[in-house]
Amino acid sequence: MTLDTDFVRAQFPAFAEPSLEGQAFFENAGGSYTCAPVIARLERYYRQRKVQPYAPYEASQLAGAEMDEARARLAAMMGVATDELSFGPSTTQNTYVLAQAFRQWMEPGDAIIVTNQDHEANSGPWRRLADAGFEVREWKINPESGLLDPADLENLLDDRVRLVCFPHCSNVVGAINPVVEITALAHAAGAFVCVDGVSYAPHGLPDVGGMGPDIYLFSAYKTYGPHQGIMVIRRELGNLLPNQAHYFNAGTLYKRFTPAGPDHAQVAASAGMADYIDDLATHHGITGDAVTRAVGVHDLMRGHETALLQPLLDFLKDRNSARLIGPVEAEQKAPTVAVALNRPGAEAAAQLAQHGIMAGGGDFYAVRPLTAMGVDPERGVLRLSFVHYTTRAEVDKLLTALDDIL
């Protein structure tokens, strides 16, 4: 089955926006375009339902129902219970709240494992537990490839480790880590698992229930939705950790780790993400339960992205003027492509802008992995990232522009 990109792009108002005409968007890892169902729900909420939800009058009932709908439908697509999914202001904020809960729960002598492949949001909050006297062990990447080796993790695991944190894929290395294998290793050692899915979820919602991690985090604004952090925390762990919300919310799992009041409109609008996935499934003849439809859409997205990614990797891997970060095989990588140059990445991004290419340059909050791979964070990298709505014509335009500036 082939992804119908004409249908896909018709679901995104940005592609009909005159101010963006002729611009090819290759900084999707920093935030995707928003799909029409999300925009429609957000506007409807502000026009018709901008009241405190869950009160007895109709506008309030509709507001609360739409918030509940977002949680229920996204959870179903990810194979988890409705109350195991919660919303927060950002993934970074969600992670800090979780780290505080672990700080209160862990005992002297306990340890956690983090990687130096992560975006700082899934590294820094956990590393700060060292200030409270807990041991922080680092699972290091290969400095040449940028990859994590599960065998190295095995050497770090023992009965003192309470949590293993790692990315589904890095926002600069792009390699897709084997979540199921890593989770199994950690669970066998008695540790919980936290996966940062921010850089992976835009390429298809993951079947978290099937993969097995205890925590899975991602950002709606990078997944065609509003600016919210979405967090799955499985019930066993969520009920074990100390409540971080108002004391009277301790008995509601999806409220335990969201101490601030939610952004009602953005939570409600997140149901539009589920609308979009269902629309893609229906258009492409994908049937079944929520997980089956979401997996089918995931596979459609990944198939399209992989076909477009390989020519870009082939173009970059042999360029003497550029060091391609991460795998050179598209099947092993999300379409997030970082290249280290002999000049700042931001300069190259500015040059690409003159060719109608919207890309980014810098460290992308990935100072640790760049430093580990010998890349000067001050110079950073040029990052070229795309998703399923990208077309072959846009990739060809990018290749032509790269040939001119590299």
Side-chain angles (χ1 to χ4, degrees):
M1 189 184 302
T2 302
L3 183 72
D4 183 349
T5 53
D6 290 336
F7 176 82
V8 165
R9 289 167 76 89
Q11 315 310 308
F12 289 86
F15 293 114
E17 171 57 41
S19 66
L20 295 172
E21 186 176 359
Q23 302 291 306
F25 187 33
F26 283 94
E27 203 356 32
N28 290 273
S32 65
Y33 286 146
T34 307
C35 63
V38 167
I39 296 172
R41 284 179 179 264
L42 189 63
E43 181 178 9
R44 182 177 67 187
Y45 194 96
Y46 275 112
R47 287 183 180 275
Q48 302 177 14
R49 304 172 185 177
K50 188 63 177 71
V51 296
Q52 190 70 14
Y54 305 112
Y57 49 91
E58 183 181 26
S60 181
Q61 288 290 299
L62 291 171
E66 195 166 7
M67 293 171 65
D68 293 343
E69 178 191 355
R71 181 176 296 104
R73 291 177 64 196
L74 289 171
M77 289 178 171
M78 299 173 72
V80 300
T82 298
D83 66 345
E84 292 180 322
L85 186 145
S86 58
F87 296 88
S90 69
T91 293
T92 301
Q93 185 71 25
N94 285 342
T95 309
Y96 268 97
V97 172
L98 287 172
Q100 171 72 0
F102 270 89
R103 183 190 67 78
Q104 294 175 340
W105 173 70
M106 291 168 65
E107 299 288 343
D110 286 349
I112 64 166
I113 294 174
V114 298
T115 85
N116 63 344
Q117 192 191 60
D118 278 278
H119 181 290
E120 190 63 17
N122 197 40
S123 182
W126 302 114
R127 291 173 185 270
R128 292 187 182 191
L129 293 181
D131 297 336
F134 302 110
E135 182 184 0
V136 177
R137 303 176 186 177
E138 187 175 71
W139 181 12
K140 297 180 184 294
I141 58 174
N142 180 301
E144 297 298 321
S145 68
L147 302 184
L148 291 166
D149 185 346
D152 293 336
L153 173 62
E154 289 190 84
N155 294 330
L156 294 172
L157 287 166
D158 59 30
D159 60 7
R160 293 171 55 200
V161 176
R162 296 292 169 260
L163 183 68
V164 177
C165 308
F166 67 95
H168 200 156
C169 73
S170 162
N171 70 325
V172 292
V173 179
I176 300 171
N177 291 315
V179 173
V180 174
E181 177 187 352
I182 296 169
T183 298
L185 287 173
H187 283 175
F192 292 108
V193 170
C194 175
V195 177
D196 177 359
V198 171
S199 293
Y200 187 86
H203 311 293
L205 280 186
D207 178 6
V208 176
M211 292 189 302
D214 306 285
I215 301 168
Y216 194 95
L217 305 141
F218 69 100
S219 298
Y221 75 96
K222 297 184 179 182
T223 315
Y224 323 113
H227 202 292
Q228 284 287 283
I230 297 178
M231 172 173 62
V232 170
I233 182 164
R234 304 311 301 272
R235 185 173 291 107
E236 177 190 2
L237 175 58
N239 288 332
L240 190 65
L241 294 174
N243 171 45
Q244 299 300 303
H246 299 308
Y247 74 92
F248 45 77
N249 285 331
T252 304
L253 179 57
Y254 71 85
K255 294 181 179 180
R256 285 176 63 86
F257 305 101
T258 51
D263 186 317
H264 302 143
Q266 292 194 57
V267 171
S270 294
M273 298 162 61
D275 290 338
Y276 176 58
I277 293 169
D278 276 337
D279 288 346
L280 286 183
T282 299
H283 180 77
H284 292 90
I286 300 169
T287 60
D289 63 14
V291 169
T292 302
R293 294 195 306 276
V295 168
V297 169
H298 166 282
D299 293 347
L300 265 180
M301 290 178 173
R302 282 290 299 152
H304 175 75
E305 293 171 350
T306 300
L308 296 190
L309 178 57
Q310 196 60 58
L312 176 59
L313 298 177
D314 291 342
F315 174 88
L316 290 168
K317 67 182 181 182
D318 297 322
R319 302 286 295 204
N320 292 330
S321 58
R323 175 190 173 189
L324 176 61
I325 304 296
V328 298
E329 298 297 329
E331 290 81 4
Q332 302 171 14
K333 187 179 180 79
T336 300
V337 180
V339 287
L341 307 171
N342 58 5
R343 62 189 190 278
E347 287 185 10
Q351 289 180 292
L352 286 176
Q354 302 304 309
H355 294 261
I357 302 294
M358 296 187 286
D363 63 44
F364 302 103
Y365 297 90
V367 173
R368 296 180 198 274
L370 292 179
T371 300
M373 290 183 288
V375 178
D376 180 2
E378 292 294 320
R379 181 177 290 177
V381 293
L382 170 67
R383 188 172 71 175
L384 309 163
S385 55
F386 63 90
V387 292
H388 67 288
Y389 52 54
T390 304
T391 64
R392 185 170 296 277
E394 288 176 322
V395 173
D396 289 343
K397 179 175 181 174
L398 172 64
L399 294 176
T400 299
L402 289 171
D403 197 42
D404 186 70
I405 72 160
L406 294 183

